[in-house]
Amino acid sequence: MSYNIIMKSKKKIALIVVLATILFGSIYGYYMWNKPARNVAGEKGLEITAIAIFDSFNLSEQRANALYLNKAIQVTGEVTETKQNQAGETVVYLKSNDPLFGVNCTFKENPGTIAKGSTITFKGVCTGFLSDVIINQGIIVK
Amino acid sequence: MKAIAILVCLFVTTHVMAQDYITRNGSISIYSHTEMEDIKGNNNEVVSLLNSTTGTFDFKVAIKSFHFPKQAMEDHFNDENYMETDKFPKAGFSGKITDISAVNFAKDGSYNVVVSGNLTIKDVTKPVTAKGVITIKGGKLNAQSVFNVNRKEYKIMGQSFVQSKLSDNIQITVNCDFEKR
């Protein structure tokens, strides 16, 4: 008799555990699926100059990838050109020691007018080195 | 004197003709369609060089520059089951326009071309041939192409539970505005 009661309550507990797991699992899954996009504004950026980060990638791409890839980077440099990319986002190229390429910064929101030749500080996510060092989803710091 | 003038002319013409076109912010999008889900990612930081004399055509793509409507898709795309971007941050294409003489770079218009070369994704290199359109307008150049790649040929396997949501054939759309270098 008592054995039956214990078995019943055990079954009940097991059922509750299963239901709770499903419930919290679904909430977690829903949260993960609707996780907001990464926002560098709330992250502390690694501070570096455009010349230094370009040289670092140029010297050893593998080493620079380990240091900067997917990190929030706060880069300071001289603007050589501004333009809009094909998605309408503002792009700023920062000067490096290379005659052709530099640091390619894409803003996630329109930063307003940025003058060619001015020095700016931009914070964004480094996605790698092509011919430029690529930093995107960024914001203007200064 | 006349001979020198002709030589100079020849040199200038060949120099002008041997024009390189470049983009540092070209666009490539990827698209997977299944009954269950459509997935689309965009990349606006593609580097490409086109030599209008030889027809050589090269692309370099930072895979982490692909962005998706949902962060969760982006996280999956980058993780070890898919693009493994910490290990393979770049993809590239190196090839040529096989019928470059069909394009008159000095004359505005749209020209159908065939591009053939090697596509490297996750260190796997396979030959790819795709049709494309080159449009010349006021000295600027736009290149467009749509082609499919089988992701499994490039070791992009994915977990078993997503197979029904992710097509084996991924549609790649190239749309790049070039400037003269």
Side-chain angles (χ1 to χ4, degrees), chain B residues 130-177:
Chain B
K131 286 179 183 168
V133 179
I134 299 277
T135 304
I136 310 280
K137 200 178 174 188
K140 296 216 168 180
L141 186 152
N142 171 269
Q144 295 191 19
S145 179
V146 180
F147 61 98
N148 286 296
V149 296
N150 184 324
R151 65 181 167 92
K152 289 182 173 167
E153 287 183 6
Y154 296 89
K155 296 192 294 190
I156 303 154
M157 306 316 286
Q159 297 111 310
S160 53
F161 71 91
V162 300
Q163 297 305 322
S164 57
K165 294 184 186 178
L166 185 64
S167 173
D168 285 356
N169 279 309
I170 306 294
Q171 189 185 72
I172 316 267
T173 303
V174 179
N175 179 359
C176 293
D177 288 337

CSV table of all heavy atoms in Angstrom, one decimal, chain B residues 130-177:
chain,number,residue,atom,x,y,z
B,130,ALA,N,30.0,30.2,-63.8
B,130,ALA,CA,28.7,30.9,-63.6
B,130,ALA,C,28.5,32.0,-64.7
B,130,ALA,O,29.4,32.5,-65.2
B,130,ALA,CB,28.7,31.6,-62.2
B,131,LYS,N,27.2,32.1,-65.0
B,131,LYS,CA,26.8,33.2,-66.0
B,131,LYS,C,26.7,34.5,-65.2
B,131,LYS,O,26.3,34.5,-64.0
B,131,LYS,CB,25.5,32.9,-66.6
B,131,LYS,CG,25.6,31.8,-67.6
B,131,LYS,CD,24.2,31.6,-68.2
B,131,LYS,CE,24.2,30.4,-69.2
B,131,LYS,NZ,22.9,30.0,-69.6
B,132,GLY,N,27.0,35.6,-65.8
B,132,GLY,CA,26.9,36.9,-65.2
B,132,GLY,C,26.6,38.0,-66.2
B,132,GLY,O,26.6,37.8,-67.4
B,133,VAL,N,26.4,39.2,-65.6
B,133,VAL,CA,26.2,40.4,-66.5
B,133,VAL,C,27.1,41.5,-66.0
B,133,VAL,O,27.1,41.8,-64.8
B,133,VAL,CB,24.7,40.8,-66.4
B,133,VAL,CG1,24.5,42.1,-67.3
B,133,VAL,CG2,23.7,39.7,-66.8
B,134,ILE,N,27.8,42.0,-67.0
B,134,ILE,CA,28.6,43.2,-66.7
B,134,ILE,C,27.9,44.4,-67.3
B,134,ILE,O,27.5,44.4,-68.4
B,134,ILE,CB,30.0,43.1,-67.4
B,134,ILE,CG1,30.8,41.9,-66.9
B,134,ILE,CG2,30.8,44.4,-67.2
B,134,ILE,CD1,31.5,42.1,-65.6
B,135,THR,N,27.7,45.4,-66.5
B,135,THR,CA,27.0,46.6,-67.0
B,135,THR,C,28.0,47.8,-66.8
B,135,THR,O,28.6,48.1,-65.8
B,135,THR,CB,25.7,46.9,-66.2
B,135,THR,OG1,24.9,45.8,-66.2
B,135,THR,CG2,25.0,48.1,-66.7
B,136,ILE,N,28.2,48.5,-68.0
B,136,ILE,CA,29.1,49.7,-68.0
B,136,ILE,C,28.2,50.9,-68.1
B,136,ILE,O,27.3,50.9,-69.0
B,136,ILE,CB,30.0,49.6,-69.2
B,136,ILE,CG1,30.8,48.3,-69.4
B,136,ILE,CG2,31.0,50.8,-69.2
B,136,ILE,CD1,31.9,48.1,-68.5
B,137,LYS,N,28.4,51.8,-67.2
B,137,LYS,CA,27.7,53.1,-67.3
B,137,LYS,C,28.5,54.2,-66.8
B,137,LYS,O,28.9,54.3,-65.7
B,137,LYS,CB,26.4,52.9,-66.5
B,137,LYS,CG,25.3,54.0,-66.9
B,137,LYS,CD,24.1,53.8,-66.0
B,137,LYS,CE,23.1,54.9,-66.4
B,137,LYS,NZ,22.0,54.9,-65.4
B,138,GLY,N,28.8,55.1,-67.8
B,138,GLY,CA,29.6,56.3,-67.4
B,138,GLY,C,30.9,56.0,-66.8
B,138,GLY,O,31.3,56.7,-65.8
B,139,GLY,N,31.6,55.0,-67.3
B,139,GLY,CA,32.9,54.7,-66.7
B,139,GLY,C,32.9,53.8,-65.5
B,139,GLY,O,33.9,53.2,-65.1
B,140,LYS,N,31.7,53.6,-64.9
B,140,LYS,CA,31.5,52.7,-63.8
B,140,LYS,C,31.1,51.3,-64.2
B,140,LYS,O,30.5,51.2,-65.3
B,140,LYS,CB,30.5,53.3,-62.8
B,140,LYS,CG,31.0,54.6,-62.2
B,140,LYS,CD,30.6,54.8,-60.8
B,140,LYS,CE,31.4,55.9,-60.2
B,140,LYS,NZ,31.1,56.2,-58.8
B,141,LEU,N,31.4,50.4,-63.4
B,141,LEU,CA,31.1,49.0,-63.8
B,141,LEU,C,30.3,48.3,-62.7
B,141,LEU,O,30.6,48.4,-61.5
B,141,LEU,CB,32.4,48.3,-64.1
B,141,LEU,CG,32.4,46.9,-64.6
B,141,LEU,CD1,33.7,46.6,-65.4
B,141,LEU,CD2,32.3,45.8,-63.5
B,142,ASN,N,29.3,47.5,-63.1
B,142,ASN,CA,28.6,46.7,-62.1
B,142,ASN,C,28.6,45.3,-62.6
B,142,ASN,O,28.5,45.0,-63.8
B,142,ASN,CB,27.1,47.2,-62.0
B,142,ASN,CG,26.3,46.2,-61.2
B,142,ASN,OD1,25.7,45.3,-61.7
B,142,ASN,ND2,26.2,46.4,-59.9
B,143,ALA,N,28.9,44.3,-61.7
B,143,ALA,CA,28.9,42.9,-62.1
B,143,ALA,C,27.9,42.2,-61.2
B,143,ALA,O,27.8,42.3,-60.0
B,143,ALA,CB,30.3,42.4,-61.8
B,144,GLN,N,27.1,41.4,-61.9
B,144,GLN,CA,26.1,40.6,-61.2
B,144,GLN,C,26.1,39.1,-61.7
B,144,GLN,O,26.3,38.9,-62.8
B,144,GLN,CB,24.7,41.2,-61.5
B,144,GLN,CG,24.5,42.5,-60.9
B,144,GLN,CD,23.0,43.0,-60.9
B,144,GLN,OE1,22.1,42.2,-61.0
B,144,GLN,NE2,22.9,44.3,-60.8
B,145,SER,N,25.9,38.3,-60.7
B,145,SER,CA,25.8,36.8,-61.0
B,145,SER,C,25.0,36.1,-60.0
B,145,SER,O,25.0,36.5,-58.8
B,145,SER,CB,27.2,36.2,-61.1
B,145,SER,OG,27.1,34.9,-61.4
B,146,VAL,N,24.2,35.1,-60.4
B,146,VAL,CA,23.5,34.3,-59.4
B,146,VAL,C,23.9,32.8,-59.8
B,146,VAL,O,23.8,32.4,-60.9
B,146,VAL,CB,22.0,34.4,-59.5
B,146,VAL,CG1,21.3,33.5,-58.5
B,146,VAL,CG2,21.6,35.9,-59.3
B,147,PHE,N,24.4,32.1,-58.8
B,147,PHE,CA,24.8,30.7,-59.0
B,147,PHE,C,24.6,29.9,-57.7
B,147,PHE,O,24.4,30.5,-56.6
B,147,PHE,CB,26.2,30.6,-59.6
B,147,PHE,CG,27.3,31.1,-58.6
B,147,PHE,CD1,28.0,30.2,-57.8
B,147,PHE,CD2,27.6,32.4,-58.6
B,147,PHE,CE1,29.0,30.6,-57.0
B,147,PHE,CE2,28.6,32.9,-57.7
B,147,PHE,CZ,29.3,32.0,-56.9
B,148,ASN,N,24.6,28.6,-57.8
B,148,ASN,CA,24.4,27.7,-56.7
B,148,ASN,C,25.6,27.0,-56.3
B,148,ASN,O,26.4,26.6,-57.2
B,148,ASN,CB,23.3,26.7,-57.0
B,148,ASN,CG,21.9,27.4,-56.9
B,148,ASN,OD1,21.5,27.9,-55.9
B,148,ASN,ND2,21.3,27.4,-58.1
B,149,VAL,N,25.9,26.8,-55.0
B,149,VAL,CA,26.9,25.8,-54.6
B,149,VAL,C,26.3,24.8,-53.7
B,149,VAL,O,25.3,25.1,-52.9
B,149,VAL,CB,28.1,26.5,-53.9
B,149,VAL,CG1,28.8,27.5,-54.8
B,149,VAL,CG2,27.7,27.3,-52.6
B,150,ASN,N,26.8,23.6,-53.8
B,150,ASN,CA,26.3,22.6,-52.8
B,150,ASN,C,27.2,22.7,-51.6
B,150,ASN,O,28.4,22.4,-51.6
B,150,ASN,CB,26.5,21.2,-53.5
B,150,ASN,CG,26.0,20.1,-52.6
B,150,ASN,OD1,26.1,20.1,-51.4
B,150,ASN,ND2,25.4,19.1,-53.2
B,151,ARG,N,26.6,23.1,-50.5
B,151,ARG,CA,27.3,23.3,-49.2
B,151,ARG,C,28.1,22.1,-48.8
B,151,ARG,O,29.2,22.2,-48.2
B,151,ARG,CB,26.4,23.8,-48.1
B,151,ARG,CG,25.4,22.8,-47.7
B,151,ARG,CD,24.5,23.4,-46.6
B,151,ARG,NE,23.3,22.6,-46.4
B,151,ARG,CZ,23.3,21.6,-45.5
B,151,ARG,NH1,24.3,21.3,-44.7
B,151,ARG,NH2,22.2,20.9,-45.4
B,152,LYS,N,27.6,20.9,-49.0
B,152,LYS,CA,28.2,19.7,-48.5
B,152,LYS,C,29.6,19.4,-49.2
B,152,LYS,O,30.5,18.8,-48.6
B,152,LYS,CB,27.3,18.5,-48.6
B,152,LYS,CG,26.2,18.6,-47.6
B,152,LYS,CD,25.2,17.5,-47.6
B,152,LYS,CE,24.2,17.6,-46.4
B,152,LYS,NZ,23.1,16.7,-46.5
B,153,GLU,N,29.7,20.0,-50.4
B,153,GLU,CA,31.0,19.8,-51.1
B,153,GLU,C,32.1,20.7,-50.4
B,153,GLU,O,33.3,20.4,-50.6
B,153,GLU,CB,30.9,20.3,-52.6
B,153,GLU,CG,30.1,19.3,-53.4
B,153,GLU,CD,30.1,19.8,-54.9
B,153,GLU,OE1,30.7,20.8,-55.2
B,153,GLU,OE2,29.4,19.1,-55.7
B,154,TYR,N,31.7,21.6,-49.6
B,154,TYR,CA,32.6,22.5,-48.9
B,154,TYR,C,32.6,22.2,-47.4
B,154,TYR,O,33.0,23.0,-46.6
B,154,TYR,CB,32.3,24.0,-49.2
B,154,TYR,CG,32.5,24.3,-50.6
B,154,TYR,CD1,31.4,24.2,-51.5
B,154,TYR,CD2,33.7,24.8,-51.1
B,154,TYR,CE1,31.6,24.6,-52.9
B,154,TYR,CE2,33.9,25.1,-52.4
B,154,TYR,CZ,32.8,25.0,-53.3
B,154,TYR,OH,33.0,25.3,-54.6
B,155,LYS,N,32.2,21.0,-47.1
B,155,LYS,CA,32.2,20.5,-45.7
B,155,LYS,C,31.4,21.4,-44.7
B,155,LYS,O,31.7,21.6,-43.6
B,155,LYS,CB,33.7,20.5,-45.1
B,155,LYS,CG,34.6,19.4,-45.8
B,155,LYS,CD,35.9,19.2,-45.1
B,155,LYS,CE,36.7,20.5,-45.1
B,155,LYS,NZ,38.1,20.3,-44.6
B,156,ILE,N,30.3,21.9,-45.3
B,156,ILE,CA,29.3,22.7,-44.4
B,156,ILE,C,28.2,21.7,-44.1
B,156,ILE,O,27.2,21.6,-44.9
B,156,ILE,CB,28.9,24.0,-45.1
B,156,ILE,CG1,30.1,24.8,-45.4
B,156,ILE,CG2,27.9,24.8,-44.2
B,156,ILE,CD1,29.9,25.8,-46.6
B,157,MET,N,28.3,21.0,-43.1
B,157,MET,CA,27.3,19.9,-42.8
B,157,MET,C,26.1,20.3,-42.0
B,157,MET,O,25.0,20.0,-42.3
B,157,MET,CB,28.1,18.7,-42.1
B,157,MET,CG,29.3,18.2,-42.9
B,157,MET,SD,29.2,18.1,-44.7
B,157,MET,CE,28.2,16.6,-44.8
B,158,GLY,N,26.4,21.0,-40.9
B,158,GLY,CA,25.2,21.3,-40.0
B,158,GLY,C,24.8,20.2,-39.2
B,158,GLY,O,25.0,19.0,-39.5
B,159,GLN,N,24.1,20.5,-38.1
B,159,GLN,CA,23.6,19.4,-37.2
B,159,GLN,C,22.4,18.7,-37.9
B,159,GLN,O,21.8,19.2,-38.8
B,159,GLN,CB,23.1,19.9,-35.9
B,159,GLN,CG,24.1,20.6,-35.0
B,159,GLN,CD,23.9,22.1,-34.9
B,159,GLN,OE1,23.7,22.8,-35.9
B,159,GLN,NE2,23.9,22.6,-33.7
B,160,SER,N,22.1,17.5,-37.5
B,160,SER,CA,21.1,16.7,-38.1
B,160,SER,C,19.7,17.3,-38.1
B,160,SER,O,19.0,17.2,-39.0
B,160,SER,CB,21.1,15.3,-37.6
B,160,SER,OG,20.9,15.3,-36.2
B,161,PHE,N,19.4,17.9,-36.9
B,161,PHE,CA,18.0,18.5,-36.8
B,161,PHE,C,17.7,19.7,-37.6
B,161,PHE,O,16.6,20.1,-37.8
B,161,PHE,CB,17.7,18.8,-35.3
B,161,PHE,CG,18.4,20.0,-34.7
B,161,PHE,CD1,17.9,21.2,-34.8
B,161,PHE,CD2,19.7,19.8,-34.1
B,161,PHE,CE1,18.5,22.3,-34.3
B,161,PHE,CE2,20.3,20.9,-33.6
B,161,PHE,CZ,19.7,22.2,-33.7
B,162,VAL,N,18.8,20.3,-38.3
B,162,VAL,CA,18.5,21.5,-39.1
B,162,VAL,C,18.4,21.1,-40.6
B,162,VAL,O,18.1,21.9,-41.4
B,162,VAL,CB,19.5,22.6,-39.0
B,162,VAL,CG1,19.6,23.1,-37.6
B,162,VAL,CG2,20.9,22.1,-39.4
B,163,GLN,N,18.7,19.8,-40.9
B,163,GLN,CA,18.9,19.5,-42.4
B,163,GLN,C,17.6,19.8,-43.2
B,163,GLN,O,17.7,20.2,-44.3
B,163,GLN,CB,19.2,18.0,-42.5
B,163,GLN,CG,20.6,17.6,-41.9
B,163,GLN,CD,21.8,18.5,-42.4
B,163,GLN,OE1,21.8,18.8,-43.6
B,163,GLN,NE2,22.7,18.8,-41.6
B,164,SER,N,16.4,19.6,-42.5
B,164,SER,CA,15.2,19.9,-43.2
B,164,SER,C,14.9,21.4,-43.4
B,164,SER,O,14.1,21.8,-44.1
B,164,SER,CB,14.0,19.2,-42.5
B,164,SER,OG,14.0,19.7,-41.2
B,165,LYS,N,15.7,22.2,-42.6
B,165,LYS,CA,15.5,23.7,-42.7
B,165,LYS,C,16.5,24.4,-43.5
B,165,LYS,O,16.5,25.6,-43.7
B,165,LYS,CB,15.5,24.3,-41.3
B,165,LYS,CG,14.4,23.9,-40.3
B,165,LYS,CD,14.6,24.6,-39.0
B,165,LYS,CE,13.7,24.2,-38.0
B,165,LYS,NZ,13.9,25.0,-36.7
B,166,LEU,N,17.5,23.6,-43.9
B,166,LEU,CA,18.7,24.2,-44.6
B,166,LEU,C,18.9,23.4,-45.9
B,166,LEU,O,19.1,22.2,-45.9
B,166,LEU,CB,19.9,24.1,-43.8
B,166,LEU,CG,21.2,24.8,-44.3
B,166,LEU,CD1,21.0,26.3,-44.4
B,166,LEU,CD2,22.3,24.5,-43.4
B,167,SER,N,18.8,24.2,-47.0
B,167,SER,CA,18.9,23.5,-48.4
B,167,SER,C,20.4,23.1,-48.6
B,167,SER,O,21.3,23.7,-48.1
B,167,SER,CB,18.5,24.6,-49.4
B,167,SER,OG,18.8,24.0,-50.7
B,168,ASP,N,20.6,22.0,-49.3
B,168,ASP,CA,21.9,21.6,-49.7
B,168,ASP,C,22.5,22.6,-50.7
B,168,ASP,O,23.7,22.9,-50.7
B,168,ASP,CB,21.9,20.2,-50.4
B,168,ASP,CG,21.7,19.1,-49.3
B,168,ASP,OD1,21.7,19.5,-48.1
B,168,ASP,OD2,21.6,18.0,-49.7
B,169,ASN,N,21.6,23.1,-51.6
B,169,ASN,CA,22.1,24.1,-52.6
B,169,ASN,C,21.9,25.5,-52.0
B,169,ASN,O,20.7,25.9,-51.8
B,169,ASN,CB,21.3,23.9,-53.9
B,169,ASN,CG,21.9,22.8,-54.7
B,169,ASN,OD1,23.1,22.8,-54.9
B,169,ASN,ND2,21.0,21.9,-55.1
B,170,ILE,N,23.0,26.2,-51.9
B,170,ILE,CA,22.9,27.6,-51.4
B,170,ILE,C,23.1,28.5,-52.6
B,170,ILE,O,24.0,28.4,-53.4
B,170,ILE,CB,24.0,27.9,-50.4
B,170,ILE,CG1,24.0,26.8,-49.2
B,170,ILE,CG2,23.9,29.3,-49.9
B,170,ILE,CD1,22.8,26.9,-48.3
B,171,GLN,N,22.1,29.4,-52.7
B,171,GLN,CA,22.2,30.4,-53.8
B,171,GLN,C,23.1,31.6,-53.5
B,171,GLN,O,22.9,32.2,-52.4
B,171,GLN,CB,20.8,30.9,-54.2
B,171,GLN,CG,20.7,31.7,-55.4
B,171,GLN,CD,19.3,32.2,-55.6
B,171,GLN,OE1,18.9,33.1,-55.0
B,171,GLN,NE2,18.6,31.7,-56.6
B,172,ILE,N,24.0,31.8,-54.3
B,172,ILE,CA,24.9,33.0,-54.1
B,172,ILE,C,24.6,34.1,-55.1
B,172,ILE,O,24.6,33.8,-56.3
B,172,ILE,CB,26.4,32.5,-54.3
B,172,ILE,CG1,26.7,31.2,-53.7
B,172,ILE,CG2,27.4,33.6,-53.9
B,172,ILE,CD1,27.2,31.1,-52.4
B,173,THR,N,24.4,35.3,-54.6
B,173,THR,CA,24.1,36.4,-55.5
B,173,THR,C,25.2,37.4,-55.3
B,173,THR,O,25.4,37.9,-54.2
B,173,THR,CB,22.7,37.0,-55.1
B,173,THR,OG1,21.7,36.0,-55.2
B,173,THR,CG2,22.4,38.2,-56.1
B,174,VAL,N,25.9,37.7,-56.4
B,174,VAL,CA,26.9,38.7,-56.5
B,174,VAL,C,26.4,39.9,-57.1
B,174,VAL,O,25.8,39.9,-58.2
B,174,VAL,CB,28.2,38.1,-57.3
B,174,VAL,CG1,29.3,39.2,-57.3
B,174,VAL,CG2,28.6,36.8,-56.7
B,175,ASN,N,26.6,41.1,-56.5
B,175,ASN,CA,26.2,42.3,-57.0
B,175,ASN,C,27.2,43.4,-56.6
B,175,ASN,O,27.1,43.9,-55.5
B,175,ASN,CB,24.8,42.7,-56.6
B,175,ASN,CG,24.3,44.0,-57.1
B,175,ASN,OD1,25.0,44.7,-57.9
B,175,ASN,ND2,23.1,44.4,-56.8
B,176,CYS,N,28.2,43.7,-57.4
B,176,CYS,CA,29.3,44.6,-57.0
B,176,CYS,C,29.4,45.8,-57.9
B,176,CYS,O,29.5,45.6,-59.2
B,176,CYS,CB,30.6,43.8,-57.0
B,176,CYS,SG,30.7,42.5,-55.8
B,177,ASP,N,29.5,46.9,-57.3
B,177,ASP,CA,29.8,48.2,-58.1
B,177,ASP,C,31.3,48.4,-58.0
B,177,ASP,O,31.9,48.5,-56.9
B,177,ASP,CB,29.1,49.4,-57.4
B,177,ASP,CG,27.6,49.3,-57.7
B,177,ASP,OD1,27.1,48.7,-58.6
B,177,ASP,OD2,26.9,50.0,-56.9
